[in-house]
Amino acid sequence: MLQDHQDIIRKLIDLIRITSIMEVLIRLIGADEHIYTNDLDSIPWLEDMNVLEMIVDKFSSSDCPGVHANAAETLCAIALYAPPGLASKISSPSFIGRLFHHALEESRPKSVLVNLLSVCISLLDPKKLMSGTYYLYHHQMTNGSGISVKPETVEGMLVSLDMVLLTTYGKLQPPLGKHRLKIIEFISVLLTVSSEAAEKELIRLGALKGIVKLFFEYPYNNFLHHHVENIIVSCLESKNPHFVEHLLKECNLLGKIIEAEKNFTLDVDKNKPTVLAEGRRPPRIGNIGHTTRLGNKLIQLGNNNSDVQTFLQQNSEWADWYSNVLLKRNAVENVFQWACGRPTTLHDRTRDSDDDDYQYRDYDVATLANNLSQVFRYGVSNNDDIDEVHGSLERDYEDVYFDDESAEEVISSLRFGDEQDR
């Protein structure tokens, strides 16, 4: 029996590019219109071996148009003539989603999309794939009446066409996508070379407007926020005054920052790319940290640039946000003022990054040694007793005190900076 030799089906699918092999495969599956069987449920094992998935995956594993055409023809035959089990599975929302995943996959040959759409057409209007004369006759007899299709089949196709990505807070329609993210990353690096020609072209194309807009439309994409923040900082530090002016005026950077700060929860507008899930409380947007740093950067540049300073002073909303929000937030986030046991010797030091913290550790060894001695009490066995330990789980261990001298040795071994050679 074929059921005992399922590898044959797999090998036939691997050779589906050969038309004669495809025809044999269709007959074995039971999807040949010329073969009538009284026992349509005699091959449920085909469902268990995921034969449909194996066929549709040929659209991603092969670039050959012949493979795509024959794989699509096989799926169309299954949709039209296969036993109920397979026919039901091919029209399920999960399988429809799999079809569209391959059809809309980027950087794939056009034959993938064309042939997979043929499969979708066969699921929506099977008669279109029959002979032309019979289809015209049937269409005339039914006066063009509607076709009976499962609602879940249509819904599965619509969801795929909408390009919606479900998230923990709602959905993205459409998602930002790796292409747009890569372009923004490229612009971020491009601006670091301080090319006036590049700056002029970005202004002419309106690229900065679009980039700033995306920053606020996708408030939970940290990769996007990182690159956009770098772009904005590069613009503000540019020696080209027109570039800075374009960012502040045409791109309305201040207005967008203030608007985001006023409405710091996710907008419920369903027409925006980031949509909140129904019935859920709007979460806090995820780019507030970046807007805080950008605000501080503007203040810093304003102290050295009279044009930026004048622009900031002319905006009353900015002055209000700076005095009532930004200053207070900076005070709260100033780690040097936290009363959490942080060494006082760090208060007078300024660091550019968290990495520098490791170079200036100045622990109170006596205090830490005392704390460790209170915490680390555990059993220790000699090396000679290892075999005995493995042999018996009931051995009584002797509590050993972790004294101050041992603690000092541990702490000293953790020090960095000038004692790295040790």
Side-chain angles (χ1 to χ4, degrees), residues 334-337 341-351 356-363:
N334 186 358
V335 296
F336 300 116
Q337 296 181 3
R342 200 173 183 85
T344 56
T345 53
L346 290 180
H347 286 192
D348 296 330
R349 295 191 178 125
T350 57
R351 297 186 301 275
D356 296 336
D357 186 36
Y358 294 102
Q359 299 177 6
Y360 297 108
R361 288 188 175 177
D362 187 14
Y363 295 102

Side-chain angles (χ1 to χ4, degrees), residues 12-232:
L12 291 176
I13 293 175
D14 289 338
L15 298 172
I16 200 170
R17 180 179 63 85
I18 304 174
T19 302
S20 57
I21 297 294
M22 176 202 68
E23 294 173 348
V24 172
L25 177 63
I26 291 175
R27 292 199 173 197
L28 291 177
I29 292 176
D32 193 325
E33 61 176 316
H34 302 295
I35 297 180
Y36 178 77
T37 174
N38 292 321
D39 190 7
L40 295 177
D41 296 324
S42 60
I43 49 175
W45 55 271
L46 283 172
E47 302 174 40
D48 298 333
M49 71 175 296
N50 297 324
V51 64
L52 291 178
E53 289 79 1
M54 293 168 62
I55 295 174
V56 77
D57 285 347
K58 300 301 290 183
F59 287 95
S60 63
S61 62
S62 174
D63 291 338
C64 176
V67 171
H68 303 155
N70 285 355
E73 186 172 345
T74 304
L75 292 174
C76 290
I78 294 173
L80 291 171
Y81 308 110
L86 287 177
S88 176
K89 186 175 182 180
I90 198 174
S91 61
S92 66
S94 60
F95 191 79
I96 294 297
R98 197 183 190 108
L99 287 176
F100 273 90
H101 170 74
H102 292 300
L104 302 176
E105 193 174 5
E106 300 171 346
S107 303
R108 299 294 297 143
K110 292 182 180 180
S111 57
V112 172
L113 176 61
V114 171
N115 287 287
L116 281 176
L117 287 179
S118 296
V119 178
C120 293
I121 291 172
S122 71
L123 292 171
L124 294 174
D125 191 358
K127 302 298 186 292
K128 279 188 175 295
L129 295 182
M130 296 182 177
S131 60
T133 303
Y134 177 80
Y135 174 71
L136 291 175
Y137 171 76
H138 180 271
H139 186 72
Q140 292 171 357
M141 293 296 293
T142 57
N143 295 320
S145 59
I147 303 166
S148 177
V149 180
K150 293 181 180 179
E152 55 268 25
T153 301
V154 178
E155 291 175 2
M157 294 181 182
L158 294 179
V159 168
S160 299
L161 288 176
D162 283 343
M163 292 294 290
V164 174
L165 176 64
L166 298 179
T167 66
T168 55
Y169 50 81
K171 59 184 178 181
L172 297 174
Q173 52 179 24
L176 178 67
K178 62 181 181 180
H179 285 172
R180 286 197 287 183
L181 182 63
K182 203 65 179 179
I183 291 172
I184 293 173
E185 180 184 359
F186 164 73
I187 294 175
S188 173
V189 177
L190 177 64
L191 288 177
T192 61
V193 302
S194 301
S195 169
E196 186 174 349
E199 294 173 352
K200 289 182 179 180
E201 189 66 11
L202 290 174
I203 293 176
R204 186 186 69 82
L205 295 174
L208 289 181
K209 283 186 179 180
I211 290 172
V212 172
K213 182 180 179 182
L214 290 175
F215 178 87
F216 295 97
E217 286 185 340
Y218 293 90
Y220 301 108
N221 193 317
N222 292 335
F223 296 105
L224 169 68
H225 302 158
H226 170 74
H227 295 312
V228 175
E229 182 181 344
N230 289 340
I231 289 173
I232 293 176

Side-chain angles (χ1 to χ4, degrees), residues 136-385:
L136 291 175
Y137 171 76
H138 180 271
H139 186 72
Q140 292 171 357
M141 293 296 293
T142 57
N143 295 320
S145 59
I147 303 166
S148 177
V149 180
K150 293 181 180 179
E152 55 268 25
T153 301
V154 178
E155 291 175 2
M157 294 181 182
L158 294 179
V159 168
S160 299
L161 288 176
D162 283 343
M163 292 294 290
V164 174
L165 176 64
L166 298 179
T167 66
T168 55
Y169 50 81
K171 59 184 178 181
L172 297 174
Q173 52 179 24
L176 178 67
K178 62 181 181 180
H179 285 172
R180 286 197 287 183
L181 182 63
K182 203 65 179 179
I183 291 172
I184 293 173
E185 180 184 359
F186 164 73
I187 294 175
S188 173
V189 177
L190 177 64
L191 288 177
T192 61
V193 302
S194 301
S195 169
E196 186 174 349
E199 294 173 352
K200 289 182 179 180
E201 189 66 11
L202 290 174
I203 293 176
R204 186 186 69 82
L205 295 174
L208 289 181
K209 283 186 179 180
I211 290 172
V212 172
K213 182 180 179 182
L214 290 175
F215 178 87
F216 295 97
E217 286 185 340
Y218 293 90
Y220 301 108
N221 193 317
N222 292 335
F223 296 105
L224 169 68
H225 302 158
H226 170 74
H227 295 312
V228 175
E229 182 181 344
N230 289 340
I231 289 173
I232 293 176
V233 171
S234 296
C235 293
L236 293 174
E237 294 179 344
S238 172
K239 297 180 181 179
N240 182 358
H242 300 292
F243 203 41
V244 179
E245 182 180 359
H246 173 75
L247 178 66
L248 295 177
K249 292 185 178 181
E250 279 78 6
C251 298
N252 191 25
L253 178 62
L254 295 187
K256 291 184 179 299
I257 290 177
I258 294 172
E259 180 66 22
E261 289 283 348
K262 286 182 178 179
N263 305 293
F264 54 84
T265 58
L266 182 60
D267 197 344
V268 295
D269 187 355
K270 294 185 178 181
N271 295 321
K272 293 186 176 181
T274 304
V275 181
L276 179 66
E278 293 185 4
R280 178 166 180 173
R281 183 178 178 182
R284 186 181 177 91
I285 58 177
N287 52 9
I288 291 296
H290 294 274
T291 59
T292 300
R293 284 199 294 269
L294 290 175
N296 287 323
K297 188 65 177 179
L298 284 167
I299 298 298
Q300 177 188 348
L301 291 175
N303 294 332
N304 301 319
N305 188 317
S306 59
D307 293 335
V308 174
Q309 182 70 21
T310 302
F311 187 82
L312 295 178
Q313 292 175 347
Q314 292 174 347
N315 192 315
S316 58
E317 288 186 319
W318 171 266
D320 182 67
W321 176 74
Y322 169 70
S323 58
N324 296 324
V325 178
L326 185 59
L327 287 179
K328 295 179 180 179
R329 184 180 297 166
N330 289 337
V332 171
E333 296 179 356
N334 186 358
V335 296
F336 300 116
Q337 296 181 3
W338 290 358
C340 57
R342 200 173 183 85
T344 56
T345 53
L346 290 180
H347 286 192
D348 296 330
R349 295 191 178 125
T350 57
R351 297 186 301 275
D352 294 332
S353 67
D354 292 338
D355 295 336
D356 296 336
D357 186 36
Y358 294 102
Q359 299 177 6
Y360 297 108
R361 288 188 175 177
D362 187 14
Y363 295 102
D364 187 342
V365 176
T367 302
L368 290 177
N370 181 61
N371 292 337
L372 287 172
S373 67
Q374 299 297 325
V375 176
F376 292 97
R377 294 175 179 270
Y378 55 87
V380 177
S381 60
N382 295 328
N383 293 336
D384 297 334
D385 297 330

